């Protein structure tokens, strides 16, 4: 399954708007299809994940407004409702760090957080391949958790409730963090980490943490996720970050073919191979059929239909406004009003 957008000169809806735009702007049908197809690809790229921090802030703010309206109606029905608690629960989204992030940064942040949900990287001495001969090798403070005084204890093999366990670190309170031996990867390959990551990804590519909550047994805190050396996990995260932009790149091939400017070395342009375009340039004047295909992993497993529908609707609105402006400039104010009224009645 892929994301496929097809529009042709003898089809209704989007293509009909292009024809109307070509007639109003007095340009050839080919030029109108090229320009509007390019703008459609640009809009689809903008609506395709990852979204910028600003976009996420707006979507969360709209969600909070909807929730607040709903909650206020409940408060009116229940005079004893705690309005302060309601406001705190549905306070507008505000996170300066996220708000300032670009789409690329948001995508990379999401990749790293997802991977670390299911694979914990721990710094420390390398565990021997043979766990039977494991001994206490070295303990050193993990700089990332320095404020919590956590120690890395690679090489400590202990029994807990009669089960073999690998002790990872202990905190100041005496809590011992560890994992079952089968969840400890001493020398994982990138393929091993890829397999674990893939097993926890849902339909849209995001990681699910169902069933991965830590298990508390006395002073032990069992990490119910895989544990591996920090350098291996970090290398895998950096490798996966290079895939950020592939979903948008699936539309970039069509955008570039229709005259759009995009660098093949950029974080989106480098993934243009994830998409394709056919039917352009048009071979027969007056008969145009363009098919833009997004073959990225996102399009195959995500929800490209929503993005495509929103992009098409957005371009239709933009073309309607453009036609109205053109007609009013040419014939005076109100010349495009009839078309706008007709659109509202549809």
């Amino acid at each position: 399954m892929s994301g496929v957008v097809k529009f042709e000169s003898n089809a209704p809806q989007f293509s009909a708007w292009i024809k109307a735009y070509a007639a109003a702007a007095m340009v050839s049908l080919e030029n109108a299809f090229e320009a509007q197809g390019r703008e459609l690809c640009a809009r689809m790229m903008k609506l395709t994940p990852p979204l910028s921090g600003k976009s996420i802030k707006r979507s969360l703010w709209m969600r909070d407004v909807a929730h607040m309206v709903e909650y206020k109606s409940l408060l009116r029905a229940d005079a004893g409702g705690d309005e302060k608690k309601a406001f705190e629960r549905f306070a507008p989204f505000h996170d300066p760090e996220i708000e300032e992030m670009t789409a690329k940064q948001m995508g990379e942040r999401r990749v790293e957080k997802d991977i670390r949900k299911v694979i914990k990287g721990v710094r420390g001495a390398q565990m021997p391949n043979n766990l039977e001969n494991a001994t206490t090798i070295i303990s050193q403070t993990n700089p990332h958790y320095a404020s919590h005084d956590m120690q890395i204890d690679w090489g400590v093999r202990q029994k807990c409730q009669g089960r073999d366990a690998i002790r990872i670190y202990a905190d100041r309170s005496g809590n011992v963090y560890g994992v079952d031996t089968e969840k400890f990867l001493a020398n994982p390959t990138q393929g091993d980490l890829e397999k674990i990551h893939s097993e926890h990804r849902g339909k849209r590519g995001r990681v699910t943490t169902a069933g991965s909550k830590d298990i508390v047994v006395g002073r032990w805190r069992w990490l119910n996720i895989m544990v591996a050396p920090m350098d291996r996990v970090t290398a895998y995260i950096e490798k996966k970050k290079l895939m950020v932009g592939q979903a948008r790149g699936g539309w970039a091939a069509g955008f570039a073919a229709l005259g759009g400017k995009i660098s093949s070395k950029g974080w989106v342009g480098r993934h243009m191979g994830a998409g394709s375009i056919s039917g352009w340039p048009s071979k027969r004047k007056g008969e145009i059929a363009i098919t833009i295909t997004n073959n990225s992993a996102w399009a195959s497993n995500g929800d490209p239909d929503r993005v495509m529908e929103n992009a098409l609707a957005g371009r239709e609105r933009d073309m309607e406004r453009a036609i109205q402006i053109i007609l009013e400039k040419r014939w005076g104010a109100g010349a495009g009003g009839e078309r706008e009224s007709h659109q509202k009645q549809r």
Side-chain angles (χ1 to χ4, degrees):
M1 181 180 177
S2 301
V4 180
V5 177
K6 184 176 182 179
F7 48 100
E8 48 195 351
S9 56
N10 60 354
Q13 297 178 340
F14 186 68
S15 299
W17 279 107
I18 297 180
K19 283 184 176 181
Y21 172 80
M26 295 183 178
V27 298
S28 69
L29 196 58
E30 287 80 0
N31 288 342
F33 262 81
E34 180 180 30
Q36 295 305 322
R38 180 175 64 246
E39 292 301 318
L40 176 64
C41 288
R43 184 179 287 271
M44 288 192 294
M45 282 194 288
K46 185 176 181 179
L47 295 177
T48 297
L51 303 178
S52 67
K54 185 176 181 180
S55 299
I56 290 176
K57 176 187 176 183
R58 183 178 184 279
S59 64
L60 290 177
W61 182 81
M62 293 299 291
R63 181 204 65 185
D64 288 343
V65 167
H67 286 176
M68 200 61 178
V69 170
E70 179 183 357
Y71 202 90
K72 281 186 175 180
S73 66
L74 295 177
L75 288 175
R76 284 194 294 270
D78 181 7
D82 189 338
E83 190 166 357
K84 182 179 179 181
K85 182 181 290 186
F87 178 77
E88 291 175 350
R89 179 180 178 187
F90 299 118
F93 171 77
H94 181 67
D95 186 332
E97 179 187 3
I98 290 179
E99 289 172 24
E100 295 173 4
M101 283 186 174
T102 64
K104 177 176 180 288
Q105 290 172 326
M106 285 297 295
E108 292 176 341
R109 179 179 183 272
R110 179 171 289 176
V111 166
E112 181 166 0
K113 288 189 69 174
D114 274 4
I115 293 173
R116 293 195 186 281
K117 286 178 183 177
V118 292
I119 308 174
K120 183 176 181 62
V122 183
R123 293 185 177 88
Q126 178 67 44
M127 278 287 290
N129 290 327
N130 185 358
L131 294 179
E132 293 296 331
N133 298 324
T135 56
T136 303
I137 299 176
I138 188 173
S139 294
Q140 65 183 44
T141 299
N142 181 344
H144 187 67
Y145 296 106
S147 61
H148 296 81
D149 193 29
M150 291 183 176
Q151 299 294 316
I152 310 306
D153 295 326
W154 291 71
V156 179
R157 187 173 185 178
Q158 296 183 346
K159 290 277 188 180
C160 177
Q161 301 275 317
R163 298 166 58 183
D164 281 340
I166 302 298
R167 172 173 167 166
I168 305 301
Y169 56 77
D171 62 19
R172 184 178 297 176
S173 301
N175 295 315
V176 179
Y177 292 80
V179 291
D180 292 334
T181 54
E182 61 267 24
K183 290 186 178 294
F184 182 82
L185 301 175
N187 297 292
T189 64
Q190 293 293 293
D192 294 332
L193 300 181
E194 173 82 46
K195 182 179 179 181
I196 296 167
H197 183 202
S198 298
E199 288 174 350
H200 288 84
R201 298 179 75 181
K203 181 180 178 181
R204 295 186 178 182
R206 297 304 305 277
V207 164
T208 173
T209 56
S212 61
K213 187 177 181 180
D214 293 352
I215 301 173
V216 180
V217 182
R219 68 188 183 99
W220 277 79
R221 299 293 186 273
W222 294 78
L223 302 177
N224 200 22
I225 60 175
M226 303 303 292
V227 175
M230 180 68 79
D231 58 341
R232 304 289 181 93
V233 177
T234 300
Y236 176 69
I237 289 173
E238 293 305 313
K239 174 185 174 183
K240 298 302 290 185
K241 281 182 178 179
L242 294 177
M243 299 303 293
V244 172
Q246 186 194 59
R248 291 189 176 197
W251 306 122
F255 178 73
L258 293 168
K261 304 287 186 183
I262 185 169
S263 172
S264 60
K265 297 180 180 179
W267 69 281
V268 173
R270 67 190 179 195
H271 297 293
M272 280 194 283
S276 63
I277 180 173
S278 60
W280 188 262
S282 177
K283 295 181 180 180
R284 298 181 61 183
K285 188 174 182 179
E287 294 183 17
I288 303 173
I290 302 175
T291 301
I292 301 167
T293 305
N294 188 329
N295 291 316
S296 67
W298 165 82
S300 299
N301 301 312
D303 54 346
D305 290 346
R306 175 182 55 83
V307 168
M308 293 185 294
E309 289 170 3
N310 289 341
L312 285 166
R315 283 313 304 159
E316 287 182 5
R317 289 193 299 270
D318 290 346
M319 280 190 283
E320 181 188 9
R321 285 193 293 267
I323 292 170
Q324 186 175 352
I325 292 171
I326 291 171
L327 294 178
E328 288 182 349
K329 283 185 176 180
R330 186 175 301 151
W331 304 107
E338 183 178 348
R339 179 174 291 276
E340 182 179 13
S341 298
H342 175 68
Q343 176 69 8
K344 287 181 180 179
Q345 293 172 4
R346 288 204 305 158

